[in-house]
Amino acid sequence: MSEETQETRESAAPAAAPSRRKVIALGGAGLALGAAAAGGAAALLARDGDTPVPVADSGAAVPFHGPHQAGIATAVQDRLHFAAFDVTTTDRAELVQLLKDWTRAAERMTAGAEVGESAYGGLPEAPPDDTGEALGLKPSRLTLTIGFGPTLFDGRFGLKDKQPGALVELPKFPGDNLDPARSGGDLCVQACADDPQVAVHAIRNLARIGFGKVAVRWSQLGFGKTSSTTPDAQTPRNLFGFKDGTRNIAGTETERLTKHVWVSGKDAEGPAAWMDGGSYLVARRIRMNVETWDRTPLAEQEDIFGRDKHEGAPVGKAKEHDEPFLKAMKPDSHVRLAHPDTNAGATILRRGYSFTDGTDGLGRLEAGLFFLAYQKDVRTGFIPVQTSLSRADVLNEYIQHVGSALFAVPPGVRDKGDWWGRALFS
């Protein structure tokens, strides 16, 4: 997390970019700025004759309302705070009210506003409605994305007959060493933003609003996005120094999103009807043994991935986005085993982030990849891909999956009268 002071952040920001305070006054203008960011294109914003700036650098707001939740096909932000929650209340009405309260808070925070009646100026005898650490900061393209875990359908809230067939228990893959304390959850919220403090503020305030009804089960901070949903952009590198997932689905590829990411048609019939417009999220915490990797010869590293380290191009190609020739790669290379042609066309949308959580007590970095993958159905998406990788990928010598969770991500909030999960609980 950045150690910058608020003054440093504001002095370094473009002068005309709106603060979280000003966005409230701008109203629809703030949402209009964000509309360019939501689709994943490398859109530009002009400011009174100035040179246009990329949306990612503008601090703009991403629209909260729409048929799909933001934070999936949205241009990937630089920072992440992900939290999984256990629902502690057994009262269905309390849970429904919490989801409504969370929705209203998410609407305000993603638009750059404070929660409730602000962080100051209220009754001095009562805690403020907002914790205040994001005061003066720009919206920073904050997106908040909610998901429902399989355990939410265990009968406590009368949802058992609404559990979709795709919300299955993930199999135990070879090499998994999953920590139950970092796995599962009844609910999840993914907060992505270009400012880490904005993302942390969002999760902190949702947890505060949910006090007595939900409790944080586990959470993860992420930095340095390792995937891109923006066409033609350079793919960010992971902590091994390689580009991975260069053929990720772009936020503007409507046909591929419809085919591989959004639930609709037969996939949204019967018990899963409430998922029409939604998606399924797999979250995996992957420990990377960076010290061992750092002692591995460059040629071996490139063989393991099936890409050159400088450009990120597949074996025998010149550019990272060139179509890979799989037979030129070693049979156990990562790219070859993860490619759709190896997995009956299985395709996922990736939104992964790097993480470092100090050391493990033995002088080794507790570092790795927090892998996030969206798809229409994990049975035809993540599961076949991970089955292929877990059995033969030589990269497994340097990584280990230590946390795992699966969530059904409902459709977007359509308007001010809608709320997260309305179709499920109606």
Side-chain angles (χ1 to χ4, degrees), residues 17 329 419:
M329 302 175 185
W419 45 278

Side-chain angles (χ1 to χ4, degrees), residues 142-193:
L142 172 67
T143 56
L144 292 168
T145 313
I146 196 171
F148 303 135
T151 50
L152 193 68
F153 299 83
D154 59 7
R156 288 173 290 168
F157 306 106
L159 303 175
K160 205 163 190 178
D161 61 347
K162 288 192 173 184
Q163 181 170 350
L167 194 60
V168 297
E169 182 177 351
L170 294 176
K172 181 174 174 55
F173 298 101
D176 277 2
N177 185 23
L178 304 182
D179 179 359
R182 287 188 175 272
S183 300
D186 294 329
L187 304 170
C188 78
V189 179
Q190 170 195 283
C192 297

Side-chain angles (χ1 to χ4, degrees), residues 58-316:
S58 71
V62 175
F64 180 76
H65 299 115
H68 313 294
Q69 289 194 64
I72 302 174
T74 307
V76 183
Q77 304 92 319
D78 191 57
R79 303 289 181 144
L80 167 81
H81 191 185
F82 189 98
F85 296 84
D86 288 330
V87 177
T88 55
T89 181
T90 57
D91 187 321
R92 178 184 170 114
E94 277 195 340
L95 176 56
V96 167
Q97 187 58 53
L98 172 65
L99 293 173
K100 292 179 179 179
D101 293 343
W102 271 8
T103 304
R104 302 287 82 84
E107 285 173 337
R108 293 182 63 82
M109 290 190 289
T110 55
E114 294 124 60
V115 176
E117 297 299 322
S118 185
Y120 56 88
L123 291 173
E125 298 81 12
D129 290 338
D130 187 284
T131 53
E133 71 273 23
L135 286 172
L137 301 183
K138 296 176 292 183
S140 299
R141 297 193 304 129
L142 172 67
T143 56
L144 292 168
T145 313
I146 196 171
F148 303 135
T151 50
L152 193 68
F153 299 83
D154 59 7
R156 288 173 290 168
F157 306 106
L159 303 175
K160 205 163 190 178
D161 61 347
K162 288 192 173 184
Q163 181 170 350
L167 194 60
V168 297
E169 182 177 351
L170 294 176
K172 181 174 174 55
F173 298 101
D176 277 2
N177 185 23
L178 304 182
D179 179 359
R182 287 188 175 272
S183 300
D186 294 329
L187 304 170
C188 78
V189 179
Q190 170 195 283
C192 297
D194 290 319
D195 187 323
Q197 187 141 318
V198 171
V200 169
H201 167 265
I203 294 295
R204 177 183 176 184
N205 279 269
L206 294 181
R208 179 186 55 80
I209 292 168
F211 181 76
K213 300 168 189 168
V214 296
V216 176
R217 179 180 178 87
W218 56 272
S219 67
Q220 182 65 59
L221 292 171
F223 67 90
K225 61 187 179 185
T226 62
S227 303
S228 173
T229 55
T230 305
D232 304 322
Q234 289 286 313
T235 304
R237 297 177 186 271
N238 59 31
L239 291 182
F240 284 161
F242 276 80
K243 299 177 180 182
D244 194 19
T246 61
R247 300 185 65 79
N248 198 26
I249 301 174
T252 52
E253 293 183 294
T254 305
E255 290 186 8
R256 291 184 79 198
L257 288 168
T258 299
K259 181 177 181 180
H260 299 294
V261 178
W262 306 131
V263 177
S264 62
K266 291 188 294 183
D267 299 306
E269 292 179 352
W274 60 274
M275 278 291 291
D276 187 16
S279 190
Y280 291 92
L281 167 63
V282 173
R284 303 278 283 189
R285 187 174 190 271
I286 304 173
R287 173 79 182 272
M288 299 169 73
N289 300 317
V290 295
E291 291 83 7
T292 304
W293 179 262
D294 292 344
R295 296 191 293 270
T296 302
L298 174 60
E300 186 176 345
Q301 291 182 358
E302 293 182 331
D303 283 343
I304 289 170
F305 269 96
R307 294 187 180 278
D308 90 276
K309 197 167 189 177
H310 174 253
E311 173 62 28
V315 171

Side-chain angles (χ1 to χ4, degrees), residues 316-328:
K317 302 290 183 175
K319 300 295 182 182
E320 65 161 288
H321 293 293
D322 289 347
E323 183 68 35
F325 180 54
L326 299 184
K327 291 184 179 179

